[in-house]
Amino acid sequence: GQNIDQPTEMTATEGAIVQINCTYQTSGFNGLFWYQQHAGEAPTFLSYNVLDGLEEKGRFSSFLSRSKGYSYLLLKELQMKDSASYLCAVMDSNYQLIWGAGTKLIIKP
Amino acid sequence: DGGITQSPKYLFRKEGQNVTLSCEQNLNHDAMYWYRQDPGQGLRLIYYSQIVNDFQKGDIAEGYSVSREKKESFPLTVTSAQKNPTAFYLCASSKGQGGADTQYFGPGTRLTVL
């Protein structure tokens, strides 16, 4: 079966760095997406990785290792507004998105 | 200002009633999607449409129906056959030109069955 695993909840301190991991087992691979979702709101697109390596976009970076079925989202210089859920999703061989349950990130002052 | 709108934001329904959730986009996207989000679970695909007048069932289509008569609109009907309809419903769209498309989401409709 297809499976996406990510931690349920993480806590970090304002100004610090946090890494949110995602491991996956899917039928084929056409890229991995990260979305941010504030409570009760729509998911918003953060990043897309299809090749191995690190993609940096401001305070957020995303890493992919296809051989290990592994990705992480790195958030630097954490701000209180970064408190949200972070969703990992893999596009399978049929170009359908398979979603993880999300990681709730709590930022403390 | 382009985007996706969903209405209403909150919806209450009595058991046994059908209800229709609206989704409109002005991004000129070909593809549209409906997902359901429940606590502690990933998004689950209900229906999707790659082009006007065509749509396919997703993983959990039972108890739901859709139509795609216009490119901009993809309404979802939650029928009385859906056994556990209380959830957060998200509509999304993408360019739909094949390949790995980024999906963009509307603000969602929270449906509660009383």
Side-chain angles (χ1 to χ4, degrees), chain B residues 32-84:
Chain B
M32 297 186 75
Y33 312 81
W34 273 105
Y35 290 94
R36 171 183 171 136
Q37 187 173 37
D38 294 283
Q41 298 188 41
L43 273 65
R44 291 184 289 168
L45 184 64
I46 304 172
Y47 269 97
Y48 64 102
S49 168
Q50 301 279 35
I51 199 167
V52 176
N53 292 322
D54 189 41
F55 49 82
Q56 285 78 41
K57 293 181 179 180
D59 300 320
I60 55 165
E62 185 175 349
Y64 299 98
S65 65
V66 293
S67 62
R68 186 86 188 277
E69 297 175 2
K70 296 187 300 182
K71 186 175 184 176
E72 302 79 20
S73 179
F74 191 41
L76 173 75
T77 297
V78 184
T79 75
S80 56
Q82 168 50 233
K83 298 198 184 311
N84 186 20

Side-chain angles (χ1 to χ4, degrees), chain A residues 30 33 35 37 40-43 45 48 87 91 95-101, chain B residues 9 35 37 40-43 45 48 88 90 99-103 105-107:
Chain A
N30 280 301
F33 294 80
Y35 283 80
Q37 185 180 25
E41 297 184 9
F45 170 72
Y48 170 70
L87 313 182
M91 189 159 276
Y95 293 97
Q96 296 297 326
L97 281 177
I98 311 300
W99 294 83
Chain B
K9 189 167 179 63
Y35 290 94
Q37 187 173 37
Q41 298 188 41
L43 273 65
L45 184 64
Y48 64 102
F88 189 46
L90 288 160
D101 253 349
T102 299
Q103 295 182 16
F105 287 82

Side-chain angles (χ1 to χ4, degrees), chain A residues 95-109:
Chain A
Y95 293 97
Q96 296 297 326
L97 281 177
I98 311 300
W99 294 83
T103 298
K104 182 178 181 180
L105 178 63
I106 299 168
I107 310 295
K108 296 187 174 178

Side-chain angles (χ1 to χ4, degrees), chain A residues 47-93:
Chain A
S47 67
Y48 170 70
N49 294 68
V50 67
L51 299 176
D52 289 352
L54 187 68
E55 296 273 347
E56 297 186 75
K57 197 184 288 186
R59 293 190 298 115
F60 292 10
S61 302
S62 56
F63 172 84
L64 175 67
S65 169
R66 289 173 296 171
S67 62
K68 294 182 180 178
Y70 168 70
S71 172
Y72 67 73
L73 182 69
L74 190 72
L75 290 72
K76 302 177 185 175
E77 302 167 16
L78 285 170
Q79 301 174 9
M80 297 304 293
K81 68 178 181 179
D82 297 330
S83 292
S85 289
Y86 292 86
L87 313 182
C88 173
V90 172
M91 189 159 276
D92 69 10
S93 56

